[in-house]
Amino acid sequence: MNQLTERQKLLLTLIVHGHTRTALPVGSKSMVENFNLPFSSATIRNELAAMTALGYLRQPHTSAGRVPTEEGYRFFVGNLVQQTNLPATTRNTISHQFYQSPLGLDNWLKLAASVLAQQSQAASIVTAPHSNKISFKHLELLSTHAAQVLMVLVLMGGEVRQRIFALEEVLGQEALSRIAQRFNASFQDCDLEQVSSGAKDLSPSEMEIYAHLLDEMQLAANLVTGDVYLDGLNNVLAEPEFSQSEQALSPMRLLEERTLLNDVIQRTVMNEELGGVQVLIGGEGTWEELRDCSVILTQYGIPDQITGTIGVLGPMRIPYGHTISTVRYLGDLLSDLVSETMIE
Amino acid sequence: MNQLTERQKLLLTLIVHGHTRTALPVGSKSMVENFNLPFSSATIRNELAAMTALGYLRQPHTSAGRVPTEEGYRFFVGNLVQQTNLPATTRNTISHQFYQSPLGLDNWLKLAASVLAQQSQAASIVTAPHSNKISFKHLELLSTHAAQVLMVLVLMGGEVRQRIFALEEVLGQEALSRIAQRFNASFQDCDLEQVSSGAKDLSPSEMEIYAHLLDEMQLAANLVTGDVYLDGLNNVLAEPEFSQSEQALSPMRLLEERTLLNDVIQRTVMNEELGGVQVLIGGEGTWEELRDCSVILTQYGIPDQITGTIGVLGPMRIPYGHTISTVRYLGDLLSDLVSETMIE
DNA sequence: ATTAGCACTCTCGAGATGAGAGTGCTAATA
DNA sequence: TATTAGCACTCTCATCTCGAGAGTGCTAAT
C-alpha cells in the first residue's frame, strides 16, 4: 500500500472538496488562489503528477486540472473523510419531523426517504424492515362474500400481511373464527418450519386455509415483495454529469429494478466500518451502471432479527462526510423506531 | 366550431402520426413521399397554411415543417383517433401475467403499473383503490410488549390498516381481546359518523383505544396517504423533448409530489368520454408543469364505493389510440379484480 | 526541496459557411 | 375553380476555424 505524505493527503482532500463543489477539474493555480496555500503552484504540480502516477488522480485531458479517480475517492473515504456528527440543530429539525408525522412505520419510512433526499441532495433509498426469521403471531379470518375469506396474518415484528381467497365450501364467520382460534393456539410463536410440520387432523376447509397460511409465510420469508421507498430522483437528474439523458438512465434503472437493488444491498453488507455505513464508489468494478455514481448504505433495525436498508445514490462527487453522517443518523433513528414498535 | 374538410382531417391525422413517430416537424414534401398521396406538395402547403391559421398546427420556425398544437391534438383525440381494441394476443399476454402474479391487491397494482409503462413506453401511475365511504368491519388488538398494542383495523372493501401505540395502563392479551370483541359488536358496519357518536361507558383504556380507532378511520377517510405506484419514469426521460434535464424535471416533480398528482386526478374526473378515459393535453392552461406533456387517466373499481386511478404521463406526442386502449383495458381488468375481492 | 518562467497543449465558445428542408407566392393548367 | 410546377427565399443544423483561457511539464535558478 502506497502511503501518501501529509501534504499529498491535504491536496487530495482539497481536490475532492473542490471538485465536489464545482463538478469541474481543479488545477494547481486555482488551488493556490482559493485556499491560499503556503507553497507555489509549481510545487503542487509536482505533487499532483506523483499522485496521478499512483492512480489517485486523473486528468480528463492533457492540460486540464485533476479529478479524483475511484481509487482517490476510496482513499479519501477510507482515511481522510472526517466524521462530522450532524449539527444539533439539524438533528432536532429531523427528529421533530418524525415526531410530528402521523404514526405508522410506512409513514416513517417515507419521511426518512424524503428527509434523506433533501439533506443529501441525491436520490434516497429506504427498504421496509423485514424479519429474517419469520414467526407466527396471530391469525384472523373474516368472511367477506360467499365463500370468500380475508386472511390477516400478523408476524413477529409487527409485520401484517393480508390475503383474500375463496374456499371450496361456504363457511360462516363463526366457523372461521373457530378455525382461526385453533390455529392461533397451535402455532403461537412458531417459525416457518414448525408451522409447516404442525398440521394434524384438519378438515378440508381447514386444510385449504392452512395451505394459504403456509404460502403467505413462505412469501414473507423470501420477501421479494418488500416495499422500497425512493425519493429525490430529480436531485440526481439535476447533476451536470447526468445532463445527457442517456447517462442518467442507468442509475435510474438501478433504482427502479428491484433485483439490481437487492443485489447491491446484499453484496455490500460485508464489512463494518464508518459506524456500519457502507460506501460503494463507482460500481467497484462489478456494476457497470454505477460507473459514475456512489452509493452510501447502512442497515437499520435489530441485527439478525428485523432489518432494513437506508441509503443514498448520488454522483461520485457526492459530499461524503455529510452524507455518511446523515445516513448513519437516520439509520439509528429508524432503528430506534423499529425497536420501539417491535413485538417481542 | 370551425369544421375541417375531410382532406384536412386526413392531413392532420398524418401529421399527428408522423410527428408521434419521429418527434420532428413534418413538412409537405416528406408527406407526399412517405404516404404517396394523390395530390402535390403545393396543395398540401395550402391546406397546412389554412389549418395553421385555424390554430391546429404550428411551425417551430419559419420554413420548418408543421407540428400539431394543443388544439390540434385535442381535435385529433376528440374526432379522429380510432378506438382500437387491444389485439387479443396482447390482452392474453397481459391477463396471463396477472394470473401468474402472486395474489394480493398491491402486487396487482404494481404489475399494472409495470405493464402499462411497458406498453405505452411512458410513465405510468396507479393509485391504490380507496373506499369513498369508510365503514368499520373488524378490529383486532394484540399485545406486543409491555403497554404497547398493535391495532389491526379492517374496513369495508378489505382495506387493512394497522397502528402501534402504547396505553397508559398495561393490559394483557385477554383484556385486549375482550375490548376488541366489544368494539366489534357495537360498531359492525358503522360509518365514521356512527362510530364517532357511538362511544358510551368506556373505561380509560378503552377510551384511549377508541381514540386511536377513530383517528385511524379519519385518516383512512381523508387518505392523503394512499399508495401510488409509479413505473417507467425512464421512458419519459428517454424522449428527445426531455433531453435537457431541466425540461424533464417538471413532469418528474408532478409524479413525486402527491399533492399535485391528486389535484390533477380530482379535477379530471368530470366528464365521461372515450369509455371513461380522460385525456389531458398539455396542461390545459392550468398546469404549467405539463406544458409539453399529456396525461391519460381512468378511474377503476366500483363507482361511488371504492375507486382508484390508473393512467399514463407521456410527451404530448404520445400514441393516443394505443395508449387510450391500453389504459382502458387495464382499468377494466383492475375493476374486475377489485370487485372480485370486494368485501360486501 | 522549492519556485519562477516559459513553451506547449487542450478545451470551449464565438463567429462563419454551406447543405438541406421547407415555405409562400405566382402563373400556368385541367 | 381547384390544383400544380417552379422559383426565390428563409431558417436550422452540423461543421469548421480561431483565439482566449487555463493548465501542464520541464528547466534553471534560488
Side-chain angles (χ1 to χ4, degrees), chain A residues 7 39-40 43 45 61-63:
Chain A
R7 190 167 65 187
F39 20 80
S40 80
T43 312
R45 276 201 290 284
H61 39 265
T62 339
S63 108

Side-chain angles (χ1 to χ4, degrees), chain A residues 3 5 72 119 123 125 152 166 176 181 187 190 210 225 286 300 328:
Chain A
Q3 264 308 1
T5 67
Q119 282 287 322
I125 313 165
V152 178
L176 286 175
Q181 211 169 345
F187 296 141
C190 287
Y210 174 72
T225 58
T286 312
Y300 69 88
R328 196 184 45 215

Side-chain angles (χ1 to χ4, degrees), chain B residues 64-76:
Chain B
R66 301 306 210 283
V67 165
T69 60
E70 292 190 26
E71 271 317 314
Y73 278 118
R74 225 161 274 145
F75 187 90
F76 173 77

Side-chain angles (χ1 to χ4, degrees), chain B residues 140-193:
Chain B
E140 194 71 15
L141 296 171
L142 296 171
S143 165
T144 63
H145 162 51
Q148 236 171 190
V149 175
L150 170 66
M151 172 175 91
V152 178
L153 172 64
V154 182
L155 300 172
M156 188 201 72
E159 206 172 332
V160 176
R161 301 188 63 86
Q162 52 192 293
R163 166 181 291 208
I164 290 178
F165 53 88
L167 293 174
E168 293 290 325
E169 188 187 357
V170 178
L171 287 186
Q173 181 60 57
E174 305 76 34
L176 286 175
S177 296
R178 230 176 302 119
I179 296 177
Q181 211 169 345
R182 187 168 159 202
F183 281 0
N184 279 324
S186 8
F187 295 141
Q188 191 59 242
D189 290 321
C190 287
D191 67 14
L192 180 55
E193 201 179 344

Side-chain angles (χ1 to χ4, degrees), chain B residues 145-292:
Chain B
H145 162 51
Q148 236 171 190
V149 175
L150 170 66
M151 172 175 91
V152 178
L153 172 64
V154 182
L155 300 172
M156 188 201 72
E159 206 172 332
V160 176
R161 301 188 63 86
Q162 52 192 293
R163 166 181 291 208
I164 290 178
F165 53 88
L167 293 174
E168 293 290 325
E169 188 187 357
V170 178
L171 287 186
Q173 181 60 57
E174 305 76 34
L176 286 175
S177 296
R178 230 176 302 119
I179 296 177
Q181 211 169 345
R182 187 168 159 202
F183 281 0
N184 279 324
S186 8
F187 295 141
Q188 191 59 242
D189 290 321
C190 287
D191 67 14
L192 180 55
E193 201 179 344
Q194 292 168 312
V195 171
S196 65
S197 64
K200 48 200 168 189
D201 309 333
L202 298 181
S203 74
S205 290
E206 284 177 331
M207 200 59 215
E208 283 182 69
I209 293 171
Y210 174 73
H212 280 289
L213 166 64
L214 212 54
D215 192 43
E216 194 63 37
M217 284 185 72
Q218 241 146 12
L219 217 58
N222 298 328
L223 200 62
V224 192
T225 58
D227 280 336
V228 176
Y229 300 85
L230 301 177
D231 203 329
L233 303 184
N234 40 9
N235 289 336
V236 22
L237 289 173
E239 296 296 340
E241 38 264 85
F242 303 112
S243 56
Q244 296 106 339
S245 60
E246 303 172 20
Q247 298 254 21
L249 291 188
S250 18
M252 294 295 284
R253 264 195 44 231
L254 181 74
L255 294 176
E256 286 204 348
E257 287 182 26
R258 192 71 45 84
T259 53
L260 257 174
L261 181 60
N262 274 334
D263 193 25
V264 171
I265 290 175
Q266 289 213 349
R267 295 216 222 168
T268 318
V269 197
M270 308 320 227
N271 57 45
E272 293 275 329
E273 49 181 43
L274 297 171
V277 177
Q278 286 294 322
V279 181
L280 179 82
I281 295 169
E284 309 271 352
T286 312
W287 294 278
E288 186 55 27
E289 291 90 342
L290 293 178
R291 194 189 342 204
D292 302 314

Side-chain angles (χ1 to χ4, degrees), chain A residues 117-312:
Chain A
Q118 208 224 321
Q119 282 287 322
S120 67
Q121 286 298 306
S124 62
I125 313 165
V126 180
T127 71
H130 170 53
S131 315
N132 307 48
K133 40 180 189 185
I134 297 293
S135 84
F136 180 100
K137 191 73 195 175
H138 186 86
L139 177 72
E140 194 70 15
L141 296 171
L142 295 171
S143 166
T144 62
H145 161 52
Q148 238 173 188
V149 175
L150 170 65
M151 173 175 91
V152 178
L153 172 64
V154 182
L155 299 172
M156 188 201 70
E159 204 172 333
V160 176
R161 301 187 63 85
Q162 53 194 291
R163 165 182 290 208
I164 290 179
F165 53 87
L167 293 174
E168 293 289 326
E169 189 186 359
V170 178
L171 289 185
Q173 182 59 58
E174 305 75 34
L176 286 175
S177 297
R178 230 176 302 119
I179 296 177
Q181 211 169 345
R182 188 171 157 198
F183 281 0
N184 279 325
S186 6
F187 296 141
Q188 192 58 244
D189 291 321
C190 287
D191 66 15
L192 181 55
E193 201 179 345
Q194 292 168 312
V195 171
S196 65
S197 64
K200 49 200 170 192
D201 310 334
L202 298 181
S203 73
S205 289
E206 285 176 330
M207 200 59 217
E208 284 182 70
I209 294 171
Y210 174 72
H212 280 289
L213 166 62
L214 211 54
D215 192 43
E216 195 62 37
M217 284 184 73
Q218 241 146 12
L219 216 59
N222 298 327
L223 201 63
V224 193
T225 58
D227 280 337
V228 175
Y229 300 86
L230 302 177
D231 203 329
L233 303 185
N234 41 8
N235 289 336
V236 22
L237 288 173
E239 297 296 339
E241 38 265 84
F242 303 112
S243 56
Q244 296 106 340
S245 61
E246 302 173 20
Q247 299 254 20
L249 291 189
S250 17
M252 294 295 283
R253 264 195 44 230
L254 180 74
L255 294 177
E256 286 205 348
E257 287 182 27
R258 193 70 46 83
T259 53
L260 256 175
L261 181 59
N262 274 334
D263 193 26
V264 171
I265 290 174
Q266 289 213 349
R267 295 218 222 168
T268 318
V269 196
M270 307 319 227
N271 57 47
E272 291 275 328
E273 49 181 41
L274 296 171
V277 176
Q278 288 294 323
V279 181
L280 178 82
I281 295 169
E284 310 272 351
T286 312
W287 294 279
E288 185 55 27
E289 290 89 343
L290 293 178
R291 193 189 344 203
D292 303 314
C293 300
S294 281
V295 179
I296 299 176
L297 291 176
T298 193
Q299 301 273 73
Y300 69 88
I302 302 168
D304 294 325
Q305 289 195 49
I306 178 166
T307 57
T309 304
I310 180 169
V312 156

